[in-house]
Amino acid sequence: MDTSLHIKQLRTQYSLFQLNESEVDQDPFVQLEKWIKQALQAEANWPNAMVLTTVSNDGRPSSRVVLLKDFGQDGLIFFTNYSSRKGKELDSNPYVCLTFFWPELERQVRIEGMAKRISEEESSNYFKTRPVESQIGAWASNQSAQLHSRVELEDRMAHFTQLFSDKEVPKPHHWGGYQVFPSYFEFWQGRANRLHDRIAFTKLPENWMITRLSP
């Protein structure tokens, strides 16, 4: 099969829903919650998965998928290793972009904002709810650091499993949450003939300005 030719021939006709200014909530957080609930109801794969884009000091962007673990009027929360590439980039440049994509609903949400570490207490409270294996994994993995082999990682996992075999696993100091404080939301709904609906929310001092964008 000519993969390049096959990709060029891929076509999708979007026809499930529409998005009008009169239908969106005036509060983008409420609209986001509505769409996440509908993604859950539709049994979308990884409904809380979001692409996190950070930027290095020399202006190079980097993207990866992280999981949304909480959100509300203050922002969106995810957890990671502070010593990872994304952690280091977030600490030096807090401006980020988040992207949700639910192909089952032909929808995308893009969010721009600033990220800030949440408190140690909040991070510890969430850490206690994780499966023990995931807790130990947070100790075993020096996220983003080079490994000589898979065996090295498995040995570290075995070491910390033994270390914490008879005690509660504490939260590592290098692990915790970030909260993204949005200044911009864009809700994208696929429509027929590529005439997609794009409704943007831009944060103003007292409220949100809602605009429609060309597809």
Side-chain angles (χ1 to χ4, degrees), residues 48-80:
N48 63 328
M50 54 188 186
V51 176
L52 166 68
T53 300
T54 57
V55 181
S56 65
N57 285 331
D58 57 357
R60 295 179 181 270
S62 177
S63 298
R64 76 288 289 162
V65 176
V66 298
L67 298 178
L68 174 69
K69 287 301 180 180
D70 196 9
F71 76 99
Q73 288 295 319
D74 289 333
L76 300 87
I77 294 176
F78 66 92
F79 294 85
T80 190

PDB file of all heavy atoms in Angstrom, residues 48-80:
ATOM      1  N   ASN A  48     -10.841  12.604  29.017  1.00  0.00           N
ATOM      2  CA  ASN A  48     -10.116  13.639  29.764  1.00  0.00           C
ATOM      3  C   ASN A  48      -8.692  13.834  29.279  1.00  0.00           C
ATOM      4  O   ASN A  48      -7.881  14.510  29.921  1.00  0.00           O
ATOM      5  CB  ASN A  48     -10.101  13.313  31.259  1.00  0.00           C
ATOM      6  CG  ASN A  48      -9.360  12.025  31.575  1.00  0.00           C
ATOM      7  OD1 ASN A  48      -9.359  11.085  30.766  1.00  0.00           O
ATOM      8  ND2 ASN A  48      -8.746  11.954  32.741  1.00  0.00           N
ATOM      9  N   ALA A  49      -8.363  13.247  28.122  1.00  0.00           N
ATOM     10  CA  ALA A  49      -7.026  13.422  27.563  1.00  0.00           C
ATOM     11  C   ALA A  49      -6.924  14.772  26.863  1.00  0.00           C
ATOM     12  O   ALA A  49      -7.830  15.184  26.141  1.00  0.00           O
ATOM     13  CB  ALA A  49      -6.710  12.298  26.574  1.00  0.00           C
ATOM     14  N   MET A  50      -5.823  15.464  27.100  1.00  0.00           N
ATOM     15  CA  MET A  50      -5.632  16.767  26.465  1.00  0.00           C
ATOM     16  C   MET A  50      -4.165  16.924  26.082  1.00  0.00           C
ATOM     17  O   MET A  50      -3.264  16.499  26.800  1.00  0.00           O
ATOM     18  CB  MET A  50      -6.080  17.908  27.384  1.00  0.00           C
ATOM     19  CG  MET A  50      -5.462  17.902  28.760  1.00  0.00           C
ATOM     20  SD  MET A  50      -6.222  19.152  29.858  1.00  0.00           S
ATOM     21  CE  MET A  50      -5.158  18.990  31.306  1.00  0.00           C
ATOM     22  N   VAL A  51      -3.949  17.527  24.938  1.00  0.00           N
ATOM     23  CA  VAL A  51      -2.583  17.800  24.487  1.00  0.00           C
ATOM     24  C   VAL A  51      -2.105  19.072  25.186  1.00  0.00           C
ATOM     25  O   VAL A  51      -2.751  20.117  25.109  1.00  0.00           O
ATOM     26  CB  VAL A  51      -2.530  17.987  22.956  1.00  0.00           C
ATOM     27  CG1 VAL A  51      -1.113  18.365  22.522  1.00  0.00           C
ATOM     28  CG2 VAL A  51      -2.980  16.713  22.251  1.00  0.00           C
ATOM     29  N   LEU A  52      -0.984  18.959  25.870  1.00  0.00           N
ATOM     30  CA  LEU A  52      -0.374  20.102  26.545  1.00  0.00           C
ATOM     31  C   LEU A  52       0.832  20.560  25.739  1.00  0.00           C
ATOM     32  O   LEU A  52       1.754  19.782  25.484  1.00  0.00           O
ATOM     33  CB  LEU A  52       0.070  19.700  27.962  1.00  0.00           C
ATOM     34  CG  LEU A  52       1.022  20.673  28.669  1.00  0.00           C
ATOM     35  CD1 LEU A  52       0.316  21.976  29.010  1.00  0.00           C
ATOM     36  CD2 LEU A  52       1.610  20.023  29.920  1.00  0.00           C
ATOM     37  N   THR A  53       0.825  21.818  25.335  1.00  0.00           N
ATOM     38  CA  THR A  53       1.952  22.385  24.599  1.00  0.00           C
ATOM     39  C   THR A  53       2.667  23.397  25.470  1.00  0.00           C
ATOM     40  O   THR A  53       2.045  24.335  25.989  1.00  0.00           O
ATOM     41  CB  THR A  53       1.493  23.051  23.291  1.00  0.00           C
ATOM     42  OG1 THR A  53       0.857  22.072  22.464  1.00  0.00           O
ATOM     43  CG2 THR A  53       2.672  23.638  22.538  1.00  0.00           C
ATOM     44  N   THR A  54       3.964  23.191  25.631  1.00  0.00           N
ATOM     45  CA  THR A  54       4.813  24.130  26.362  1.00  0.00           C
ATOM     46  C   THR A  54       5.857  24.686  25.398  1.00  0.00           C
ATOM     47  O   THR A  54       6.029  24.180  24.295  1.00  0.00           O
ATOM     48  CB  THR A  54       5.511  23.431  27.545  1.00  0.00           C
ATOM     49  OG1 THR A  54       6.271  22.314  27.050  1.00  0.00           O
ATOM     50  CG2 THR A  54       4.492  22.922  28.553  1.00  0.00           C
ATOM     51  N   VAL A  55       6.552  25.722  25.837  1.00  0.00           N
ATOM     52  CA  VAL A  55       7.571  26.354  24.985  1.00  0.00           C
ATOM     53  C   VAL A  55       8.846  26.535  25.796  1.00  0.00           C
ATOM     54  O   VAL A  55       8.804  27.029  26.928  1.00  0.00           O
ATOM     55  CB  VAL A  55       7.091  27.715  24.445  1.00  0.00           C
ATOM     56  CG1 VAL A  55       8.147  28.339  23.547  1.00  0.00           C
ATOM     57  CG2 VAL A  55       5.775  27.557  23.682  1.00  0.00           C
ATOM     58  N   SER A  56       9.968  26.148  25.197  1.00  0.00           N
ATOM     59  CA  SER A  56      11.254  26.264  25.879  1.00  0.00           C
ATOM     60  C   SER A  56      11.740  27.711  25.875  1.00  0.00           C
ATOM     61  O   SER A  56      11.172  28.585  25.206  1.00  0.00           O
ATOM     62  CB  SER A  56      12.292  25.373  25.190  1.00  0.00           C
ATOM     63  OG  SER A  56      12.539  25.847  23.874  1.00  0.00           O
ATOM     64  N   ASN A  57      12.837  27.944  26.585  1.00  0.00           N
ATOM     65  CA  ASN A  57      13.403  29.294  26.650  1.00  0.00           C
ATOM     66  C   ASN A  57      13.853  29.803  25.292  1.00  0.00           C
ATOM     67  O   ASN A  57      13.879  31.013  25.054  1.00  0.00           O
ATOM     68  CB  ASN A  57      14.581  29.325  27.628  1.00  0.00           C
ATOM     69  CG  ASN A  57      14.136  29.291  29.080  1.00  0.00           C
ATOM     70  OD1 ASN A  57      13.051  29.754  29.403  1.00  0.00           O
ATOM     71  ND2 ASN A  57      14.963  28.729  29.940  1.00  0.00           N
ATOM     72  N   ASP A  58      14.221  28.879  24.389  1.00  0.00           N
ATOM     73  CA  ASP A  58      14.655  29.317  23.057  1.00  0.00           C
ATOM     74  C   ASP A  58      13.523  29.256  22.035  1.00  0.00           C
ATOM     75  O   ASP A  58      13.755  29.264  20.827  1.00  0.00           O
ATOM     76  CB  ASP A  58      15.854  28.496  22.578  1.00  0.00           C
ATOM     77  CG  ASP A  58      15.566  26.999  22.553  1.00  0.00           C
ATOM     78  OD1 ASP A  58      14.466  26.600  22.959  1.00  0.00           O
ATOM     79  OD2 ASP A  58      16.458  26.237  22.123  1.00  0.00           O
ATOM     80  N   GLY A  59      12.273  29.194  22.521  1.00  0.00           N
ATOM     81  CA  GLY A  59      11.119  29.317  21.643  1.00  0.00           C
ATOM     82  C   GLY A  59      10.696  28.051  20.928  1.00  0.00           C
ATOM     83  O   GLY A  59       9.904  28.109  19.988  1.00  0.00           O
ATOM     84  N   ARG A  60      11.181  26.894  21.373  1.00  0.00           N
ATOM     85  CA  ARG A  60      10.823  25.637  20.714  1.00  0.00           C
ATOM     86  C   ARG A  60       9.627  24.998  21.423  1.00  0.00           C
ATOM     87  O   ARG A  60       9.710  24.681  22.608  1.00  0.00           O
ATOM     88  CB  ARG A  60      12.014  24.670  20.722  1.00  0.00           C
ATOM     89  CG  ARG A  60      13.200  25.168  19.908  1.00  0.00           C
ATOM     90  CD  ARG A  60      14.366  24.185  19.981  1.00  0.00           C
ATOM     91  NE  ARG A  60      15.508  24.670  19.220  1.00  0.00           N
ATOM     92  CZ  ARG A  60      15.717  24.407  17.938  1.00  0.00           C
ATOM     93  NH1 ARG A  60      14.840  23.666  17.272  1.00  0.00           N
ATOM     94  NH2 ARG A  60      16.776  24.874  17.318  1.00  0.00           N
ATOM     95  N   PRO A  61       8.524  24.787  20.695  1.00  0.00           N
ATOM     96  CA  PRO A  61       7.345  24.178  21.317  1.00  0.00           C
ATOM     97  C   PRO A  61       7.506  22.675  21.468  1.00  0.00           C
ATOM     98  O   PRO A  61       8.238  22.028  20.718  1.00  0.00           O
ATOM     99  CB  PRO A  61       6.222  24.506  20.331  1.00  0.00           C
ATOM    100  CG  PRO A  61       6.911  24.594  19.010  1.00  0.00           C
ATOM    101  CD  PRO A  61       8.276  25.168  19.300  1.00  0.00           C
ATOM    102  N   SER A  62       6.819  22.123  22.448  1.00  0.00           N
ATOM    103  CA  SER A  62       6.820  20.685  22.682  1.00  0.00           C
ATOM    104  C   SER A  62       5.427  20.288  23.161  1.00  0.00           C
ATOM    105  O   SER A  62       4.862  20.950  24.033  1.00  0.00           O
ATOM    106  CB  SER A  62       7.872  20.314  23.729  1.00  0.00           C
ATOM    107  OG  SER A  62       7.841  18.931  24.017  1.00  0.00           O
ATOM    108  N   SER A  63       4.869  19.216  22.592  1.00  0.00           N
ATOM    109  CA  SER A  63       3.510  18.789  22.934  1.00  0.00           C
ATOM    110  C   SER A  63       3.502  17.339  23.377  1.00  0.00           C
ATOM    111  O   SER A  63       4.281  16.518  22.894  1.00  0.00           O
ATOM    112  CB  SER A  63       2.569  18.961  21.738  1.00  0.00           C
ATOM    113  OG  SER A  63       2.468  20.309  21.338  1.00  0.00           O
ATOM    114  N   ARG A  64       2.572  17.032  24.291  1.00  0.00           N
ATOM    115  CA  ARG A  64       2.359  15.670  24.738  1.00  0.00           C
ATOM    116  C   ARG A  64       0.959  15.584  25.336  1.00  0.00           C
ATOM    117  O   ARG A  64       0.347  16.608  25.669  1.00  0.00           O
ATOM    118  CB  ARG A  64       3.412  15.217  25.752  1.00  0.00           C
ATOM    119  CG  ARG A  64       3.225  15.775  27.147  1.00  0.00           C
ATOM    120  CD  ARG A  64       3.540  17.250  27.278  1.00  0.00           C
ATOM    121  NE  ARG A  64       4.969  17.501  27.173  1.00  0.00           N
ATOM    122  CZ  ARG A  64       5.466  18.679  26.916  1.00  0.00           C
ATOM    123  NH1 ARG A  64       4.663  19.732  26.718  1.00  0.00           N
ATOM    124  NH2 ARG A  64       6.766  18.874  26.837  1.00  0.00           N
ATOM    125  N   VAL A  65       0.455  14.368  25.481  1.00  0.00           N
ATOM    126  CA  VAL A  65      -0.884  14.180  26.038  1.00  0.00           C
ATOM    127  C   VAL A  65      -0.780  13.994  27.549  1.00  0.00           C
ATOM    128  O   VAL A  65       0.022  13.190  28.038  1.00  0.00           O
ATOM    129  CB  VAL A  65      -1.584  12.961  25.406  1.00  0.00           C
ATOM    130  CG1 VAL A  65      -2.945  12.727  26.073  1.00  0.00           C
ATOM    131  CG2 VAL A  65      -1.770  13.161  23.910  1.00  0.00           C
ATOM    132  N   VAL A  66      -1.587  14.748  28.288  1.00  0.00           N
ATOM    133  CA  VAL A  66      -1.712  14.583  29.738  1.00  0.00           C
ATOM    134  C   VAL A  66      -3.198  14.396  30.045  1.00  0.00           C
ATOM    135  O   VAL A  66      -4.050  14.560  29.168  1.00  0.00           O
ATOM    136  CB  VAL A  66      -1.144  15.800  30.509  1.00  0.00           C
ATOM    137  CG1 VAL A  66       0.344  15.968  30.239  1.00  0.00           C
ATOM    138  CG2 VAL A  66      -1.896  17.080  30.140  1.00  0.00           C
ATOM    139  N   LEU A  67      -3.498  14.052  31.295  1.00  0.00           N
ATOM    140  CA  LEU A  67      -4.886  13.796  31.673  1.00  0.00           C
ATOM    141  C   LEU A  67      -5.422  14.883  32.597  1.00  0.00           C
ATOM    142  O   LEU A  67      -4.786  15.228  33.595  1.00  0.00           O
ATOM    143  CB  LEU A  67      -5.012  12.435  32.367  1.00  0.00           C
ATOM    144  CG  LEU A  67      -4.623  11.222  31.521  1.00  0.00           C
ATOM    145  CD1 LEU A  67      -4.758   9.952  32.352  1.00  0.00           C
ATOM    146  CD2 LEU A  67      -5.476  11.137  30.259  1.00  0.00           C
ATOM    147  N   LEU A  68      -6.569  15.424  32.238  1.00  0.00           N
ATOM    148  CA  LEU A  68      -7.262  16.383  33.097  1.00  0.00           C
ATOM    149  C   LEU A  68      -7.768  15.638  34.324  1.00  0.00           C
ATOM    150  O   LEU A  68      -8.438  14.611  34.198  1.00  0.00           O
ATOM    151  CB  LEU A  68      -8.437  17.000  32.336  1.00  0.00           C
ATOM    152  CG  LEU A  68      -9.357  17.919  33.146  1.00  0.00           C
ATOM    153  CD1 LEU A  68      -8.633  19.207  33.520  1.00  0.00           C
ATOM    154  CD2 LEU A  68     -10.634  18.228  32.353  1.00  0.00           C
ATOM    155  N   LYS A  69      -7.459  16.148  35.510  1.00  0.00           N
ATOM    156  CA  LYS A  69      -7.885  15.485  36.735  1.00  0.00           C
ATOM    157  C   LYS A  69      -8.877  16.298  37.562  1.00  0.00           C
ATOM    158  O   LYS A  69      -9.536  15.769  38.443  1.00  0.00           O
ATOM    159  CB  LYS A  69      -6.654  15.144  37.590  1.00  0.00           C
ATOM    160  CG  LYS A  69      -5.847  13.981  37.024  1.00  0.00           C
ATOM    161  CD  LYS A  69      -6.709  12.724  36.914  1.00  0.00           C
ATOM    162  CE  LYS A  69      -5.943  11.553  36.361  1.00  0.00           C
ATOM    163  NZ  LYS A  69      -6.794  10.339  36.271  1.00  0.00           N
ATOM    164  N   ASP A  70      -8.985  17.575  37.277  1.00  0.00           N
ATOM    165  CA  ASP A  70      -9.971  18.401  37.974  1.00  0.00           C
ATOM    166  C   ASP A  70     -10.077  19.725  37.240  1.00  0.00           C
ATOM    167  O   ASP A  70      -9.133  20.144  36.559  1.00  0.00           O
ATOM    168  CB  ASP A  70      -9.550  18.650  39.425  1.00  0.00           C
ATOM    169  CG  ASP A  70     -10.698  19.155  40.295  1.00  0.00           C
ATOM    170  OD1 ASP A  70     -11.857  19.147  39.810  1.00  0.00           O
ATOM    171  OD2 ASP A  70     -10.438  19.549  41.444  1.00  0.00           O
ATOM    172  N   PHE A  71     -11.235  20.360  37.334  1.00  0.00           N
ATOM    173  CA  PHE A  71     -11.367  21.698  36.765  1.00  0.00           C
ATOM    174  C   PHE A  71     -12.567  22.399  37.388  1.00  0.00           C
ATOM    175  O   PHE A  71     -13.468  21.778  37.948  1.00  0.00           O
ATOM    176  CB  PHE A  71     -11.498  21.650  35.244  1.00  0.00           C
ATOM    177  CG  PHE A  71     -12.848  21.218  34.732  1.00  0.00           C
ATOM    178  CD1 PHE A  71     -13.779  22.147  34.305  1.00  0.00           C
ATOM    179  CD2 PHE A  71     -13.186  19.874  34.682  1.00  0.00           C
ATOM    180  CE1 PHE A  71     -15.019  21.746  33.841  1.00  0.00           C
ATOM    181  CE2 PHE A  71     -14.416  19.460  34.203  1.00  0.00           C
ATOM    182  CZ  PHE A  71     -15.334  20.404  33.793  1.00  0.00           C
ATOM    183  N   GLY A  72     -12.547  23.711  37.288  1.00  0.00           N
ATOM    184  CA  GLY A  72     -13.618  24.537  37.820  1.00  0.00           C
ATOM    185  C   GLY A  72     -13.415  25.953  37.334  1.00  0.00           C
ATOM    186  O   GLY A  72     -12.681  26.200  36.369  1.00  0.00           O
ATOM    187  N   GLN A  73     -14.046  26.902  37.998  1.00  0.00           N
ATOM    188  CA  GLN A  73     -13.956  28.289  37.563  1.00  0.00           C
ATOM    189  C   GLN A  73     -12.547  28.864  37.643  1.00  0.00           C
ATOM    190  O   GLN A  73     -12.242  29.858  36.983  1.00  0.00           O
ATOM    191  CB  GLN A  73     -14.904  29.147  38.403  1.00  0.00           C
ATOM    192  CG  GLN A  73     -16.371  28.934  38.089  1.00  0.00           C
ATOM    193  CD  GLN A  73     -16.731  29.375  36.670  1.00  0.00           C
ATOM    194  OE1 GLN A  73     -16.258  30.405  36.197  1.00  0.00           O
ATOM    195  NE2 GLN A  73     -17.559  28.602  36.002  1.00  0.00           N
ATOM    196  N   ASP A  74     -11.678  28.247  38.425  1.00  0.00           N
ATOM    197  CA  ASP A  74     -10.319  28.755  38.553  1.00  0.00           C
ATOM    198  C   ASP A  74      -9.384  28.214  37.478  1.00  0.00           C
ATOM    199  O   ASP A  74      -8.366  28.829  37.178  1.00  0.00           O
ATOM    200  CB  ASP A  74      -9.746  28.409  39.929  1.00  0.00           C
ATOM    201  CG  ASP A  74     -10.404  29.215  41.034  1.00  0.00           C
ATOM    202  OD1 ASP A  74     -10.880  30.326  40.736  1.00  0.00           O
ATOM    203  OD2 ASP A  74     -10.446  28.735  42.164  1.00  0.00           O
ATOM    204  N   GLY A  75      -9.693  27.047  36.929  1.00  0.00           N
ATOM    205  CA  GLY A  75      -8.800  26.503  35.921  1.00  0.00           C
ATOM    206  C   GLY A  75      -8.850  24.993  35.820  1.00  0.00           C
ATOM    207  O   GLY A  75      -9.732  24.345  36.372  1.00  0.00           O
ATOM    208  N   LEU A  76      -7.862  24.442  35.110  1.00  0.00           N
ATOM    209  CA  LEU A  76      -7.793  23.015  34.825  1.00  0.00           C
ATOM    210  C   LEU A  76      -6.524  22.450  35.437  1.00  0.00           C
ATOM    211  O   LEU A  76      -5.450  23.052  35.322  1.00  0.00           O
ATOM    212  CB  LEU A  76      -7.801  22.757  33.315  1.00  0.00           C
ATOM    213  CG  LEU A  76      -9.022  23.255  32.524  1.00  0.00           C
ATOM    214  CD1 LEU A  76      -8.827  24.717  32.087  1.00  0.00           C
ATOM    215  CD2 LEU A  76      -9.247  22.389  31.293  1.00  0.00           C
ATOM    216  N   ILE A  77      -6.631  21.278  36.069  1.00  0.00           N
ATOM    217  CA  ILE A  77      -5.513  20.701  36.815  1.00  0.00           C
ATOM    218  C   ILE A  77      -5.054  19.377  36.212  1.00  0.00           C
ATOM    219  O   ILE A  77      -5.868  18.524  35.861  1.00  0.00           O
ATOM    220  CB  ILE A  77      -5.892  20.495  38.289  1.00  0.00           C
ATOM    221  CG1 ILE A  77      -6.130  21.855  38.972  1.00  0.00           C
ATOM    222  CG2 ILE A  77      -4.806  19.726  39.037  1.00  0.00           C
ATOM    223  CD1 ILE A  77      -6.607  21.754  40.410  1.00  0.00           C
ATOM    224  N   PHE A  78      -3.740  19.235  36.097  1.00  0.00           N
ATOM    225  CA  PHE A  78      -3.128  17.964  35.709  1.00  0.00           C
ATOM    226  C   PHE A  78      -1.903  17.760  36.586  1.00  0.00           C
ATOM    227  O   PHE A  78      -1.426  18.690  37.251  1.00  0.00           O
ATOM    228  CB  PHE A  78      -2.737  17.946  34.228  1.00  0.00           C
ATOM    229  CG  PHE A  78      -1.655  18.915  33.856  1.00  0.00           C
ATOM    230  CD1 PHE A  78      -0.317  18.539  33.871  1.00  0.00           C
ATOM    231  CD2 PHE A  78      -1.964  20.220  33.498  1.00  0.00           C
ATOM    232  CE1 PHE A  78       0.691  19.433  33.542  1.00  0.00           C
ATOM    233  CE2 PHE A  78      -0.955  21.123  33.166  1.00  0.00           C
ATOM    234  CZ  PHE A  78       0.368  20.734  33.189  1.00  0.00           C
ATOM    235  N   PHE A  79      -1.370  16.536  36.590  1.00  0.00           N
ATOM    236  CA  PHE A  79      -0.237  16.201  37.455  1.00  0.00           C
ATOM    237  C   PHE A  79       0.911  15.647  36.623  1.00  0.00           C
ATOM    238  O   PHE A  79       0.705  15.009  35.590  1.00  0.00           O
ATOM    239  CB  PHE A  79      -0.660  15.178  38.513  1.00  0.00           C
ATOM    240  CG  PHE A  79      -1.663  15.728  39.492  1.00  0.00           C
ATOM    241  CD1 PHE A  79      -3.023  15.710  39.202  1.00  0.00           C
ATOM    242  CD2 PHE A  79      -1.252  16.280  40.690  1.00  0.00           C
ATOM    243  CE1 PHE A  79      -3.953  16.233  40.089  1.00  0.00           C
ATOM    244  CE2 PHE A  79      -2.173  16.803  41.591  1.00  0.00           C
ATOM    245  CZ  PHE A  79      -3.517  16.787  41.293  1.00  0.00           C
ATOM    246  N   THR A  80       2.129  15.888  37.117  1.00  0.00           N
ATOM    247  CA  THR A  80       3.308  15.423  36.382  1.00  0.00           C
ATOM    248  C   THR A  80       4.531  15.455  37.286  1.00  0.00           C
ATOM    249  O   THR A  80       4.445  15.825  38.470  1.00  0.00           O
ATOM    250  CB  THR A  80       3.557  16.306  35.143  1.00  0.00           C
ATOM    251  OG1 THR A  80       4.549  15.699  34.316  1.00  0.00           O
ATOM    252  CG2 THR A  80       4.002  17.705  35.532  1.00  0.00           C
TER     253      THR A  80
END
